[in-house]
Amino acid sequence: MMRIGFHASHEQISPRQLLADVQHAERAGFAMAMCSDHLAPWSTRQGHSGYAWAWLGAALATTGLSFGTVSAPGQRYHPAVHAQRIATLGQMFPGRFWVALGSGENANEHVTGQPWPAKEVRTRRLEESVDVIRRLLAGEEVTHDGLVTVDRARVWERADPAPLLVGPAVSVASAARVARWADGLVTVSQPVDTLRRVLTAYRDAGGAGTAALQVHLSWAPTQEEAQRVAHEQWRTNVFGEPVNWDTATVDAFDVMGEQVGPEAVARSVRVSADLGQHRAWLQEYAELGFDDVYLHFVGQEQERFLDTFGEHVLPDFQP
């Protein structure tokens, strides 16, 4: 049975409110949660971006849910410090925390003042970082000299079990590549045929573990409101590679977003006032073979969405 979780969007909601929202999600029947980990939002209309790692400690301590986050080691985060963060949460909350390790986005990473590398360099830097983090989580002392530099690092807190290091992938090529090292896969809303190819590429390349999907959606009692919310909040998030990776500032995303209409947003966000339609979309993902789906309502006020989906959608996906 596919599990349904809640996605906590730090870029859209203050950390204080988001903590109350994830507690609400647990009461509404969501089985688990994940969150973003960025320094900046994609739009001034979103207007937030709390520090995910402080928030995760509070969220794990005040709910019984398992949690994950998508995070980028190598530039803004040194992999040895990242390993310490991961191990600490894993030691405090055994078996309840995972992290997906990605190659990053310029909007968050440029603040270090280091050059923003080409995609292949970022991918190789990520793979070096993953190796360093995995060895540190295993208790090794690590020295490494490559695209990242580590000098005699050791993480003294050990998590048992060690948190899963999940591979985030959007393209078929990325899915096959992360299968070399990942303990699971997480991807995002795309056309069903694309998702099928991504999942197949991961499995065919030997990728094991849970396959998870983050679904962007907009629901409201009327179609007009659902469309308005999606366009107001998510029109800066529809750009594909390499624009989404390489754009450096919130202002630039906002300028580009002014050229995006509701129809374009609907290609990235599941927009409908019909709860039956949302249930049907979720059933498609179950039939594709996803184990976990995290629902991201792209509006800033979560209460109505949580209660409505908790009552009318989640029961169809519970044993």
Side-chain angles (χ1 to χ4, degrees):
M1 180 68 70
M2 185 178 73
R3 300 191 303 165
I4 306 294
F6 171 68
H7 175 71
S9 180
H10 283 288
E11 295 73 28
Q12 297 177 274
I13 302 167
S14 75
R16 179 171 58 193
Q17 180 59 51
L18 202 56
L19 184 60
D21 288 340
V22 79
Q23 294 163 355
H24 189 163
E26 182 177 36
R27 294 192 301 272
F30 286 80
M32 65 275 182
M34 67 177 290
C35 74
S36 48
D37 176 19
H38 295 151
L39 190 67
W42 293 277
S43 170
T44 55
R45 290 181 302 277
Q46 294 172 348
H48 296 278
S49 207
Y51 182 54
W53 295 85
W55 183 89
L56 280 162
L60 283 156
T62 58
T63 72
L65 301 176
S66 62
F67 281 81
T69 189
V70 182
S71 191
Q75 187 160 331
R76 182 167 50 109
Y77 291 149
H78 189 278
V81 178
H82 219 37
Q84 184 188 32
R85 272 189 286 263
I86 294 164
T88 298
L89 287 179
Q91 197 272 342
M92 293 174 70
F93 307 102
R96 291 178 53 204
F97 175 67
W98 56 267
V99 59
L101 299 174
S103 59
E105 296 173 346
N106 196 13
N108 305 297
E109 309 303 322
H110 75 269
V111 296
T112 66
Q114 299 172 5
W116 180 237
K119 175 58 176 173
E120 175 59 26
V121 176
R122 299 199 307 273
T123 300
R124 288 190 284 111
R125 181 175 67 183
L126 167 65
E127 291 166 347
E128 290 184 20
S129 296
V130 170
D131 180 65
V132 167
I133 290 168
R134 196 177 292 282
R135 290 169 62 194
L136 288 169
L137 293 178
E140 295 183 35
E141 182 182 283
V142 177
T143 294
H144 179 85
D145 187 11
L147 293 170
V148 293
T149 301
V150 184
D151 178 24
R152 294 165 294 177
R154 182 176 175 185
V155 171
W156 290 84
E157 292 300 335
R158 297 287 303 282
D160 185 16
L164 298 178
L165 305 183
V166 173
V170 175
S171 70
V172 169
S174 294
R177 186 157 179 169
V178 300
R180 303 174 188 176
W181 58 262
D183 298 321
L185 172 74
V186 62
T187 188
V188 296
S189 298
Q190 297 185 83
V192 168
D193 287 345
T194 303
L195 290 174
R196 182 181 292 109
R197 292 195 298 271
V198 167
L199 189 52
T200 298
Y202 180 74
R203 296 300 189 199
D204 287 352
T210 296
L213 172 66
Q214 182 192 127
V215 175
H216 308 303
L217 68 94
S218 185
W219 168 85
T222 68
Q223 188 69 16
E224 292 75 14
E225 184 182 354
Q227 291 172 336
R228 178 188 60 76
V229 168
H231 186 249
E232 195 272 341
Q233 277 293 299
W234 213 246
R235 65 179 180 264
T236 50
N237 294 68
V238 302
F239 306 108
E241 306 165 0
V243 173
N244 54 342
W245 295 332
D246 291 343
T247 301
T249 67
V250 175
D251 289 343
F253 275 109
D254 274 334
V255 169
M256 293 187 295
E258 293 308 312
Q259 310 305 313
V260 176
E263 299 80 9
V265 176
R267 290 194 287 270
S268 297
V269 181
R270 293 296 205 181
V271 181
S272 181
D274 182 355
L275 292 171
Q277 178 63 77
H278 285 285
R279 286 191 293 267
W281 283 326
L282 289 173
Q283 186 58 43
E284 280 188 300
Y285 302 138
E287 292 169 0
L288 283 177
F290 284 99
D291 304 293
D292 294 340
V293 170
Y294 294 86
L295 302 185
H296 171 212
F297 170 58
V298 299
Q300 291 183 297
E301 296 181 3
Q302 299 288 308
E303 182 175 359
R304 185 174 60 179
F305 153 72
L306 292 169
D307 286 338
T308 301
F309 273 61
E311 181 176 358
H312 298 290
V313 176
L314 300 190
D316 283 14
F317 298 91
Q318 293 170 342

